[in-house]
Amino acid sequence: MSYLISLSILFILLNYANLLNYKFKFKINETYFISICFIILTSFLFFKFNSALTAQSNLLLLYVFDLKYLLIIFFVISLIIFPYLLKNFKKLDFNLNLEFILIFILIFFLSKNRYYLDQDEIAYWGMAIKALSIEADGFDHHPYGLKLFRYLFIIKEFDEGVMIFSNNLILISGFYFLFYDRKLFLFEKFLIFVLYYLLINNLSFGFLSVYADPILAIFYACLLKKVFLISNKKDFKLDYSFILIFITLFLVKRSSVIYGFYILYFFIGFSFLNYFREY
């Protein structure tokens, strides 16, 4: 079942990403990460809305039931999008999509048989996901956004390897977001990814764990890139992807607030510097 759910999420991501690229003109390399942010934010809002509804109506609604339907809703939306994308298939970036599919499959099989390596993974991060299905208390030290995204992968059966893969999917999407603005040669891709892997693995096991630290670092890096690009434009335009990523940042970890403050600091600082540079 984990294979089927992972393939469903791949289908969802590809449809969302290509729609953002073709219809709304987002860069294709950024759309995978943006689509994940959309899923995290939507899942969180749905979760909070249902929590409020449950508290007010005193109905015995189980989150595991609701989240199953949320995944189905994401999938149904993808099915609606798919004919439109199929009609415009020749206008899509086939090579990059194929590469993403191959990387997705490769990372899945490399992660599938992995297991938790650290006490915190067993005592908190792993247990926090299980707690969603029984509405258990005591696992609300960090925001629910990242936990809800991970839970979509193990709705039917708990699997530590698939949990780790859900983390790795965000890291891989972040890699595309950060480094694929220009066409890279195969050797360049390999070299940059090796450096990326080594840097990420300095942050709580990186690709080998379900820790939120590497995810938080990638969100921060993606936002810094956006801040730099936006502040260097002569004609300021509202970047909706920046807003989406910035909001989703606060759903990753409780220390996200500190990084959010830094992002605002850099954004305002760079904007002022570029403004006065013109005069």
Side-chain angles (χ1 to χ4, degrees), residues 35 54 56 70 126 162 167 172 177-178 224:
S35 298
T54 303
Q56 291 181 7
L70 184 58
V162 175
N167 239 39
I172 290 298
F177 188 102
L178 292 170
L224 280 179

Side-chain angles (χ1 to χ4, degrees), residues 216 220 223-224 227 242 246 249-250 255-270:
L216 183 59
Y220 186 58
L223 285 168
L224 280 179
V227 165
F242 172 79
F246 183 74
L249 168 71
F250 295 96
S255 57
S256 298
V257 177
I258 300 172
Y259 293 88
F261 174 79
Y262 286 147
I263 291 296
L264 288 177
Y265 174 79
F266 285 125
F267 179 78
I268 295 171
F270 283 141

Side-chain angles (χ1 to χ4, degrees), residues 4-45:
L4 181 60
I5 291 176
S6 297
L7 286 174
S8 299
I9 292 175
L10 173 61
F11 181 76
I12 291 169
L13 281 180
L14 288 173
N15 279 280
Y16 289 6
N18 283 282
L19 180 70
L20 289 171
N21 171 241
Y22 179 71
K23 183 68 175 177
F24 301 101
K25 308 306 178 186
F26 288 91
K27 294 179 180 179
I28 182 63
N29 65 296
E30 296 183 356
T31 55
Y32 305 117
F33 187 77
I34 294 170
S35 298
I36 288 176
C37 290
F38 172 78
I39 292 173
I40 291 174
L41 181 58
T42 305
S43 300
F44 178 78
L45 292 174

Side-chain angles (χ1 to χ4, degrees), residues 33-271:
F33 187 77
I34 294 170
S35 298
I36 288 176
C37 290
F38 172 78
I39 292 173
I40 291 174
L41 181 58
T42 305
S43 300
F44 178 78
L45 292 174
F46 187 87
F47 178 81
K48 283 298 182 182
F49 173 78
N50 200 50
S51 298
L53 184 64
T54 303
Q56 291 181 7
S57 61
N58 294 320
L59 296 177
L60 296 176
L61 301 177
L62 296 178
Y63 293 127
V64 63
F65 177 81
D66 296 323
L67 286 178
K68 286 179 181 177
Y69 274 92
L70 184 58
L71 182 60
I72 292 172
I73 291 171
F74 285 138
F75 189 78
V76 169
I77 294 173
S78 298
L79 290 176
I80 295 172
I81 297 171
F82 184 68
Y84 173 75
L85 294 176
L86 197 60
K87 183 180 178 181
N88 299 281
F89 179 77
K90 293 183 179 180
K91 299 178 182 178
L92 305 179
D93 193 329
F94 175 79
N95 291 333
L96 191 61
N97 281 303
L98 179 61
E99 180 182 316
F100 182 79
I101 293 171
L102 294 176
I103 294 296
F104 182 99
I105 295 172
L106 176 63
I107 296 299
F108 175 81
F109 282 107
L110 289 176
S111 307
K112 181 69 175 64
N113 295 319
R114 299 211 63 86
Y115 48 87
Y116 297 156
L117 297 171
D118 194 72
Q119 179 183 356
D120 285 346
E121 291 182 285
I122 300 171
Y124 180 80
W125 294 107
M127 293 296 294
I129 306 302
K130 291 183 178 181
L132 286 173
S133 63
I134 57 174
E135 303 179 61
D137 297 325
F139 296 96
D140 54 356
H141 303 298
H142 297 283
Y144 274 82
L146 190 56
K147 289 183 279 189
L148 289 167
F149 177 75
R150 292 166 174 170
Y151 191 72
L152 294 176
F153 287 79
I154 48 101
I155 283 177
K156 295 297 293 183
E157 57 182 356
F158 184 83
D159 189 305
E160 293 182 9
V162 175
M163 281 273 294
I164 293 172
F165 168 68
S166 68
N167 239 39
N168 291 342
L169 179 58
I170 301 176
L171 298 178
I172 290 298
S173 300
F175 175 75
Y176 277 90
F177 188 102
L178 292 170
F179 302 111
Y180 269 61
D181 280 334
R182 66 178 182 87
K183 187 175 181 180
L184 298 172
F185 296 106
L186 182 61
F187 177 75
E188 289 179 303
K189 293 178 183 179
F190 176 76
L191 181 61
I192 292 173
F193 182 78
V194 169
L195 294 174
Y196 181 77
Y197 177 86
L198 293 175
L199 287 172
I200 290 297
N201 270 44
N202 283 326
L203 301 167
S204 301
F205 301 110
F207 281 85
L208 307 176
S209 75
V210 291
Y211 279 119
D213 304 79
I215 305 298
L216 183 59
I218 294 308
F219 268 85
Y220 186 58
C222 292
L223 285 168
L224 280 179
K225 176 186 174 183
K226 279 291 182 182
V227 165
F228 180 78
L229 293 176
I230 293 172
S231 61
N232 277 282
K233 290 180 180 178
K234 292 183 179 180
D235 54 330
F236 178 82
K237 291 183 180 180
L238 190 62
D239 192 321
Y240 294 104
S241 63
F242 172 79
I243 296 173
L244 176 61
I245 298 170
F246 183 74
I247 294 173
T248 311
L249 168 71
F250 295 96
L251 305 179
V252 174
K253 199 177 180 184
R254 59 182 175 181
S255 57
S256 298
V257 177
I258 300 172
Y259 293 88
F261 174 79
Y262 286 147
I263 291 296
L264 288 177
Y265 174 79
F266 285 125
F267 179 78
I268 295 171
F270 283 141
S271 297

